[in-house]
Amino acid sequence: MILVCAASGRIGRRVLKHLITSENSDQVVAGARVNPQGVDANFRIVNYDDVNGMVKAFEGVERVVFIPSFADTDRRAMQGRNVVAAAERAGVSQILFIGIMDTRLDSPLPFARAYGEMESALLNSPVPAVILRTSMYTDNLAEQYPVWLKTGQLVTCAGSGRVSYVSRDDIAASIVGVLRDPVDHHRNRIYKLTGPEALSYADVAGLINELHGSDIKLVNVNCSEFADRLKDIWGVAYEGIEHVARVTPLFQTVFRQGMMSDVTSDVLNLSGRSPESAQSWLGRHQLNQPM
């Protein structure tokens, strides 16, 4: 049996959709705090703050797909340790962990430390783990670039830093690829899920201009000015402008440091299909279309 945590999220839903169409549906379980609407799978309550509750949810489960929450750094790290503890007590055979490429303890991203700590807990657990570190989502660009089209400017403090954008669909396909292999095949392996190329924001502006016949100009500023101007220059995603204003300058710093620029063949090797380029993805999606 496979249990997909964070089943109401954008990646969790995609993984469940793949699994339900390719596996026996009674062997696929959606896990979340509340039953996600529109998901045709058995449901169990999974609360990362409740170890005993997760032990019950993981009963009879062979493989757990663990997609972390958006909790603050310390709580997110604690939740990861809770998942590992519950999996050990429930006799789970494998945990698939969906992380990020920057796991440095001294990263500008505060929650990068949480991912590093969660990886350590996983690799030191008797439960075999598979760690899938993802680059930035291509999907996020569609939530951001309407503002760039409107203003004619792409303002950034990432400098010439490059990002190997990968789509949520390719991430989900890679997760499913791991689940189709025997449990021991990827034991304690770490993969990096990336797109086929690493792009600077100058490259991104060029792609959008090519697709829309626009003339977006790249404007490089320091991160302090970037944060001050963020509401007017950047699209709003996830929890709203407060969340974006807090984390986007930090991500920009990570981009400038090259921590999201690696390009690998792991999506192809795990999913059996080549990752979609940002140019192709953007060409297939309309502005503001739900991702």
Side-chain angles (χ1 to χ4, degrees):
M1 186 180 298
I2 299 168
L3 187 148
V4 180
C5 300
S8 58
R10 304 187 201 191
I11 291 178
R13 285 179 178 273
R14 283 169 166 82
V15 173
L16 284 166
K17 183 177 180 180
H18 278 288
L19 292 175
I20 291 168
T21 58
S22 61
E23 306 285 339
N24 294 329
S25 59
D26 62 345
Q27 294 299 304
V28 179
V29 178
R33 285 176 176 264
V34 296
N35 197 346
Q37 295 182 350
V39 174
D40 186 20
N42 295 321
F43 170 72
R44 295 184 185 181
I45 295 174
V46 173
N47 179 347
Y48 293 154
D49 296 315
D50 180 3
V51 176
N52 290 331
M54 284 192 290
V55 172
K56 182 177 180 180
F58 294 168
E59 287 179 359
V61 171
E62 182 181 25
R63 306 169 98 162
V64 171
V65 178
F66 171 36
I67 304 170
S69 73
F70 287 113
D72 63 38
T73 299
D74 289 338
R75 184 179 173 200
R76 201 178 308 194
M78 179 194 68
Q79 289 177 341
R81 293 190 293 271
N82 289 347
V83 170
V84 172
E88 292 175 358
R89 287 171 54 186
V92 169
S93 298
Q94 183 187 66
I95 302 173
L96 276 72
F97 174 60
I98 316 306
I100 61 175
M101 287 174 65
D102 186 6
T103 60
R104 296 172 296 168
L105 298 182
D106 61 349
S107 170
L109 285 173
F111 50 81
R113 173 173 60 82
Y115 283 89
E117 291 181 8
M118 286 188 281
E119 286 192 5
S120 179
L122 286 159
L123 295 175
N124 285 289
S125 169
V127 179
V130 184
I131 295 171
L132 304 179
R133 295 176 177 170
T134 71
S135 189
M136 291 300 296
Y137 305 146
T138 315
D139 315 49
N140 287 353
L141 291 174
E143 299 171 326
Q144 296 164 349
Y145 79 81
V147 174
W148 306 336
L149 285 172
K150 180 179 178 180
T151 63
Q153 293 185 335
L154 196 172
V155 182
T156 176
C157 64
S160 59
R162 294 179 175 272
V163 179
S164 51
Y165 294 99
V166 63
S167 73
R168 290 188 179 99
D169 287 334
D170 284 332
I171 293 169
S174 299
I175 294 169
V176 173
V178 172
L179 292 171
R180 287 175 177 161
D181 288 333
V183 167
D184 288 337
H185 189 71
H186 302 278
R187 186 186 184 98
N188 291 349
R189 294 288 302 274
I190 298 175
Y191 298 100
K192 291 183 178 181
L193 305 185
T194 77
E197 58 186 343
L199 303 175
S200 67
Y201 275 115
D203 297 324
V204 171
L207 289 179
I208 297 170
N209 286 337
E210 182 179 344
L211 289 169
H212 291 272
S214 52
D215 189 27
I216 297 171
K217 304 293 186 184
L218 187 71
V219 180
N220 280 295
V221 299
N222 62 49
C223 283
S224 177
E225 180 181 352
F226 179 86
D228 290 341
R229 298 176 58 186
L230 188 61
K231 185 174 182 179
D232 298 322
I233 62 178
W234 211 260
V236 176
Y238 297 115
E239 299 172 16
I241 192 63
E242 294 80 10
H243 172 76
V244 174
R246 184 171 65 254
V247 303
T248 302
L250 304 178
F251 270 111
Q252 295 265 307
T253 301
V254 169
F255 298 164
R256 189 174 66 249
Q257 294 174 343
M259 296 306 298
M260 295 284 185
S261 63
D262 286 357
V263 175
T264 75
S265 59
D266 288 346
V267 168
L268 172 61
N269 293 338
L270 295 175
S271 71
R273 72 187 201 189
S274 298
E276 186 172 17
S277 68
Q279 181 178 27
S280 171
W281 192 96
L282 289 169
R284 291 193 304 105
H285 291 81
Q286 297 179 356
L287 293 178
N288 297 323
Q289 179 178 337
M291 304 307 166

